[in-house]
Amino acid sequence: MSLHVIPANSADATVVASLITALTQEICNRTNDQSHFDHNEPLTARLCARWIEEGIYTALLAYSGEQAVGVVTIAESHALYAEGKIGIIQECYVLPQYRSQSAGSALLEAALALAPQRGWACMELCTPPLPEFAGALQFYERHAFRAVGGRKMRVRCRAS
């Protein structure tokens, strides 16, 4: 399969939002728990476009021909424990029919290539729920990510 990865611009926000919707739905379906996300695709597209325009969010899209087959999104933060800026992979998703065909690897390699350009001390991500997504954990480990402890936790701070 011929793949190419490109940075998304604000005009690509609906494509990014569609892939993020598929990601959140897959997590809810595989964990049999619809409470993980209260996802609003039009709002996601608007936020994505705005954040890309503001330069505070990066989305990379993997294409097979004209078909967007995957996405990785990254936000920058700062951490004292890392002694500097860090890149945080917020979402990483490949359409099921394109998995194990190097799309995910191409997305992660492109994301990791941003680290030296942006001065990030490290990159971090949170895996989807385990054990349902043990394959995702193994995928990230094959790309040099290592578990550093803890679990992702969330509290809503605004009305949904």
Side-chain angles (χ1 to χ4, degrees), residues 87-110:
I88 302 173
I89 294 176
Q90 299 291 351
E91 296 103 1
C92 185
Y93 182 73
V94 173
L95 294 171
Q97 63 270 33
Y98 291 93
R99 293 180 188 159
S100 299
Q101 297 181 43
S102 74
S105 294
L107 285 165
L108 277 186
E109 289 167 15

CSV table of all heavy atoms in Angstrom, one decimal, residues 87-110:
chain,number,residue,atom,x,y,z
A,87,GLY,N,5.6,16.9,23.8
A,87,GLY,CA,4.6,16.7,22.9
A,87,GLY,C,3.7,15.6,23.5
A,87,GLY,O,4.2,14.6,23.9
A,88,ILE,N,2.4,15.8,23.4
A,88,ILE,CA,1.4,14.8,23.9
A,88,ILE,C,0.6,14.4,22.8
A,88,ILE,O,-0.2,15.2,22.2
A,88,ILE,CB,0.6,15.4,25.1
A,88,ILE,CG1,1.5,15.9,26.2
A,88,ILE,CG2,-0.4,14.3,25.6
A,88,ILE,CD1,0.7,16.6,27.3
A,89,ILE,N,0.7,13.1,22.5
A,89,ILE,CA,-0.2,12.5,21.4
A,89,ILE,C,-1.6,12.4,22.1
A,89,ILE,O,-1.7,11.6,23.0
A,89,ILE,CB,0.4,11.2,20.9
A,89,ILE,CG1,1.7,11.5,20.1
A,89,ILE,CG2,-0.7,10.5,20.0
A,89,ILE,CD1,2.4,10.3,19.6
A,90,GLN,N,-2.5,13.1,21.6
A,90,GLN,CA,-3.9,13.1,22.2
A,90,GLN,C,-4.7,12.0,21.5
A,90,GLN,O,-5.5,11.4,22.3
A,90,GLN,CB,-4.5,14.5,21.9
A,90,GLN,CG,-3.8,15.6,22.6
A,90,GLN,CD,-3.9,15.6,24.1
A,90,GLN,OE1,-4.6,14.8,24.7
A,90,GLN,NE2,-3.1,16.4,24.8
A,91,GLU,N,-4.6,11.8,20.2
A,91,GLU,CA,-5.4,10.8,19.5
A,91,GLU,C,-4.5,10.2,18.5
A,91,GLU,O,-3.7,10.9,17.8
A,91,GLU,CB,-6.6,11.4,18.9
A,91,GLU,CG,-7.7,12.0,19.8
A,91,GLU,CD,-7.7,13.5,19.9
A,91,GLU,OE1,-6.9,14.2,19.2
A,91,GLU,OE2,-8.5,14.0,20.7
A,92,CYS,N,-4.6,8.9,18.3
A,92,CYS,CA,-3.9,8.2,17.3
A,92,CYS,C,-4.9,7.1,16.8
A,92,CYS,O,-5.3,6.3,17.6
A,92,CYS,CB,-2.6,7.6,17.8
A,92,CYS,SG,-1.6,6.8,16.5
A,93,TYR,N,-5.2,7.1,15.5
A,93,TYR,CA,-6.2,6.2,15.0
A,93,TYR,C,-6.0,5.8,13.6
A,93,TYR,O,-5.6,6.7,12.8
A,93,TYR,CB,-7.6,6.8,15.1
A,93,TYR,CG,-8.7,5.9,14.7
A,93,TYR,CD1,-9.1,4.8,15.5
A,93,TYR,CD2,-9.4,6.1,13.5
A,93,TYR,CE1,-10.1,3.9,15.1
A,93,TYR,CE2,-10.4,5.2,13.1
A,93,TYR,CZ,-10.8,4.2,13.9
A,93,TYR,OH,-11.8,3.3,13.5
A,94,VAL,N,-6.1,4.6,13.2
A,94,VAL,CA,-6.1,4.1,11.9
A,94,VAL,C,-7.4,3.3,11.6
A,94,VAL,O,-7.8,2.4,12.5
A,94,VAL,CB,-4.8,3.2,11.6
A,94,VAL,CG1,-4.9,2.6,10.2
A,94,VAL,CG2,-3.6,4.0,11.8
A,95,LEU,N,-8.0,3.5,10.5
A,95,LEU,CA,-9.2,2.7,10.2
A,95,LEU,C,-8.9,1.2,10.2
A,95,LEU,O,-7.8,0.8,9.8
A,95,LEU,CB,-9.7,3.1,8.8
A,95,LEU,CG,-10.2,4.5,8.6
A,95,LEU,CD1,-10.5,4.8,7.1
A,95,LEU,CD2,-11.5,4.7,9.4
A,96,PRO,N,-9.8,0.4,10.8
A,96,PRO,CA,-9.5,-1.0,11.0
A,96,PRO,C,-9.0,-1.7,9.7
A,96,PRO,O,-8.1,-2.5,9.8
A,96,PRO,CB,-10.8,-1.6,11.4
A,96,PRO,CG,-11.5,-0.4,12.1
A,96,PRO,CD,-11.1,0.8,11.3
A,97,GLN,N,-9.5,-1.4,8.6
A,97,GLN,CA,-9.1,-2.2,7.4
A,97,GLN,C,-7.7,-1.8,6.9
A,97,GLN,O,-7.2,-2.4,6.0
A,97,GLN,CB,-10.2,-2.0,6.2
A,97,GLN,CG,-10.4,-0.5,5.8
A,97,GLN,CD,-11.4,0.2,6.5
A,97,GLN,OE1,-11.6,0.0,7.7
A,97,GLN,NE2,-12.1,1.2,5.8
A,98,TYR,N,-7.1,-0.7,7.5
A,98,TYR,CA,-5.8,-0.3,7.1
A,98,TYR,C,-4.7,-0.6,8.2
A,98,TYR,O,-3.6,-0.2,8.0
A,98,TYR,CB,-5.8,1.2,6.8
A,98,TYR,CG,-6.5,1.5,5.5
A,98,TYR,CD1,-7.9,1.8,5.5
A,98,TYR,CD2,-5.9,1.4,4.2
A,98,TYR,CE1,-8.6,2.1,4.3
A,98,TYR,CE2,-6.6,1.6,3.1
A,98,TYR,CZ,-7.9,2.0,3.1
A,98,TYR,OH,-8.6,2.2,2.0
A,99,ARG,N,-5.1,-1.3,9.2
A,99,ARG,CA,-4.2,-1.6,10.3
A,99,ARG,C,-3.2,-2.7,9.8
A,99,ARG,O,-3.6,-3.5,8.9
A,99,ARG,CB,-4.9,-2.0,11.6
A,99,ARG,CG,-5.7,-0.8,12.1
A,99,ARG,CD,-6.4,-1.2,13.4
A,99,ARG,NE,-7.2,0.0,13.7
A,99,ARG,CZ,-8.3,-0.1,14.5
A,99,ARG,NH1,-8.7,-1.2,15.0
A,99,ARG,NH2,-9.0,1.0,14.8
A,100,SER,N,-2.1,-2.8,10.4
A,100,SER,CA,-1.0,-3.7,10.1
A,100,SER,C,-0.6,-3.6,8.6
A,100,SER,O,-0.1,-4.5,8.0
A,100,SER,CB,-1.5,-5.2,10.3
A,100,SER,OG,-1.8,-5.4,11.7
A,101,GLN,N,-0.7,-2.4,8.1
A,101,GLN,CA,-0.2,-2.1,6.8
A,101,GLN,C,0.7,-0.8,6.8
A,101,GLN,O,0.9,-0.2,5.8
A,101,GLN,CB,-1.4,-1.8,5.8
A,101,GLN,CG,-2.3,-3.1,5.7
A,101,GLN,CD,-3.4,-2.8,4.7
A,101,GLN,OE1,-3.2,-2.2,3.7
A,101,GLN,NE2,-4.6,-3.2,5.1
A,102,SER,N,1.3,-0.5,7.9
A,102,SER,CA,2.2,0.5,8.2
A,102,SER,C,1.7,2.0,8.3
A,102,SER,O,2.5,2.9,8.5
A,102,SER,CB,3.4,0.5,7.1
A,102,SER,OG,3.0,1.0,5.9
A,103,ALA,N,0.4,2.1,8.2
A,103,ALA,CA,-0.2,3.5,8.4
A,103,ALA,C,0.1,4.0,9.8
A,103,ALA,O,0.5,5.2,9.9
A,103,ALA,CB,-1.7,3.5,8.1
A,104,GLY,N,-0.1,3.2,10.8
A,104,GLY,CA,0.1,3.7,12.2
A,104,GLY,C,1.6,4.0,12.4
A,104,GLY,O,1.9,5.0,13.0
A,105,SER,N,2.5,3.2,11.9
A,105,SER,CA,3.9,3.4,12.0
A,105,SER,C,4.3,4.7,11.3
A,105,SER,O,5.1,5.5,11.9
A,105,SER,CB,4.7,2.2,11.4
A,105,SER,OG,4.5,1.1,12.2
A,106,ALA,N,3.8,4.9,10.1
A,106,ALA,CA,4.1,6.2,9.4
A,106,ALA,C,3.6,7.4,10.2
A,106,ALA,O,4.3,8.4,10.3
A,106,ALA,CB,3.5,6.1,8.0
A,107,LEU,N,2.5,7.3,10.8
A,107,LEU,CA,1.9,8.4,11.6
A,107,LEU,C,2.8,8.7,12.8
A,107,LEU,O,3.2,9.8,13.1
A,107,LEU,CB,0.5,8.2,12.0
A,107,LEU,CG,-0.6,8.3,11.0
A,107,LEU,CD1,-1.9,7.7,11.4
A,107,LEU,CD2,-0.8,9.8,10.6
A,108,LEU,N,3.2,7.6,13.5
A,108,LEU,CA,4.0,7.8,14.7
A,108,LEU,C,5.4,8.3,14.4
A,108,LEU,O,6.0,9.2,15.0
A,108,LEU,CB,4.2,6.5,15.5
A,108,LEU,CG,3.1,6.2,16.5
A,108,LEU,CD1,3.4,4.9,17.3
A,108,LEU,CD2,2.7,7.3,17.4
A,109,GLU,N,6.0,7.8,13.3
A,109,GLU,CA,7.3,8.3,12.8
A,109,GLU,C,7.3,9.8,12.5
A,109,GLU,O,8.2,10.6,12.8
A,109,GLU,CB,7.8,7.5,11.7
A,109,GLU,CG,8.2,6.1,12.1
A,109,GLU,CD,8.4,5.1,10.9
A,109,GLU,OE1,8.6,5.6,9.7
A,109,GLU,OE2,8.5,3.9,11.1
A,110,ALA,N,6.2,10.2,11.8
A,110,ALA,CA,6.0,11.6,11.5
A,110,ALA,C,5.9,12.5,12.7
A,110,ALA,O,6.4,13.6,12.8
A,110,ALA,CB,4.9,11.8,10.5
